[in-house]
Amino acid sequence: MTAELNQQALKNAIKYFVAAAIAGSIALATDQVSFIWYPLLAVVMCMDETETRVIAASRGRMLGTVAAGVVGFVVHTVLQGWVALTVSLLILVPILRWCRWQAGLATSVIMLSMLFLVAEYSSLDWLYILNRTIDTLIGVLVAIAVSNLLWPINRLAEIHSLDFKLRQLLSKRLLNIQQLLFGTAAAASEAQVPLEGSRLIGQLSQLVNDELRSRPHGEATRKHWRQRCILWERVNHHSMQLLRLISWLPATFDGLEQGPWLNTLHQSLNTKLDVTELNSTNRRQLLKVENKTNIPPLLLLAVEDELHRLISSIKSLQLASNAEISA
């Protein structure tokens, strides 16, 4: 995982360097670009891992720049300095919220701060605003071009890869749950670490959101990927909760060894397995275990409840994974 993160960090650094170098070269070669940091700032604020996020950030950057330029010009005719900046923000923030342009808020604040707090900008006019908008547009276009040319991400392939990794990771966790209940494993240290599952689910959610934003009626919609992300979160959560509860048990569930709900638990994430017959334990079975082992009944009920929630989430996940609807 560390090598993978280092490789991705190196790719991102190269993207930033190439985009900044191109934007800076264009700014230096063009007489119209008076301030080189405008295109460079646009590159830094807009560059991201996927072109969908770059376009979304670029849209916010441009909207924020235009809105800040218009409001700043109007206020500049009356006020200057910190007072003008404060009044501009009081006007601009409600406008951005009303227009649902919150993504451009950070850009607007930076733009207004430079307009009112840098002495050289005292001769502000419409031509100046147009030039600064063009400067920003140069950086935005360079960021979009570099993100599409250097290591573009195949989102659908990455989504399926992350789905496969989650199945492997959580299948190991379910196997360790089974072994702990039978008393055949002393610990499940590898599967008990929740950070890896949460990290994979976070990456999956980001890619699914990007794909849905880019293609609202594409494969991500037909194959229920948004719902599957939610179900993966539930499976991850309930499996971790179940591991914590099992760690408090003073004895194993030897009396339930023949139960089909436990024998096939570690295989329940297999897409080829029919999980409709998978049922959790019932309270009569747990009552027998309580009489044999003297395990507190409330702890057994908590285990039963988590098992029920876990298996229900797995069933829903499998149904969502195997079903397709027309766009």
Side-chain angles (χ1 to χ4, degrees), residues 166-207:
L166 280 169
R167 290 186 187 279
Q168 285 188 319
L169 176 69
L170 294 182
S171 293
K172 290 180 180 179
R173 185 180 297 170
L174 294 178
L175 177 61
N176 283 317
I177 289 174
Q178 182 188 59
Q179 292 173 342
L180 287 171
L181 288 174
F182 287 165
T184 57
S189 57
E190 179 181 356
Q192 288 184 23
V193 179
L195 295 180
E196 179 65 12
S198 299
R199 184 184 69 84
L200 293 176
I201 293 171
Q203 291 180 357
L204 180 63
S205 299
Q206 281 190 333
L207 287 173

Side-chain angles (χ1 to χ4, degrees), residues 81-93:
W82 282 103
V83 176
L85 176 60
T86 303
V87 173
S88 298
L89 290 176
L90 291 175
I91 297 173
L92 183 63
V93 172

Side-chain angles (χ1 to χ4, degrees), residues 86-202:
T86 303
V87 173
S88 298
L89 290 176
L90 291 175
I91 297 173
L92 183 63
V93 172
I95 291 177
L96 292 177
R97 291 181 61 86
W98 181 67
C99 297
R100 297 183 180 180
W101 294 351
Q102 291 92 330
L105 181 59
T107 299
S108 301
V109 173
I110 295 174
M111 181 77 171
L112 287 175
S113 299
M114 289 191 292
L115 290 177
F116 288 109
L117 302 181
V118 177
E120 286 77 5
Y121 295 163
S122 58
S123 60
L124 179 64
D125 54 16
W126 285 111
L127 182 60
Y128 177 85
I129 295 174
L130 178 61
N131 288 334
R132 299 298 74 77
T133 303
I134 294 174
D135 296 348
T136 301
L137 182 61
I138 291 174
V140 165
L141 293 177
V142 170
I144 294 175
V146 171
S147 66
N148 281 276
L149 293 176
L150 294 182
W151 301 292
I153 294 179
N154 186 340
R155 284 190 296 269
L156 290 176
E158 286 292 321
I159 287 172
H160 287 287
S161 175
L162 290 171
D163 182 78
F164 178 74
K165 291 179 181 178
L166 280 169
R167 290 186 187 279
Q168 285 188 319
L169 176 69
L170 294 182
S171 293
K172 290 180 180 179
R173 185 180 297 170
L174 294 178
L175 177 61
N176 283 317
I177 289 174
Q178 182 188 59
Q179 292 173 342
L180 287 171
L181 288 174
F182 287 165
T184 57
S189 57
E190 179 181 356
Q192 288 184 23
V193 179
L195 295 180
E196 179 65 12
S198 299
R199 184 184 69 84
L200 293 176
I201 293 171

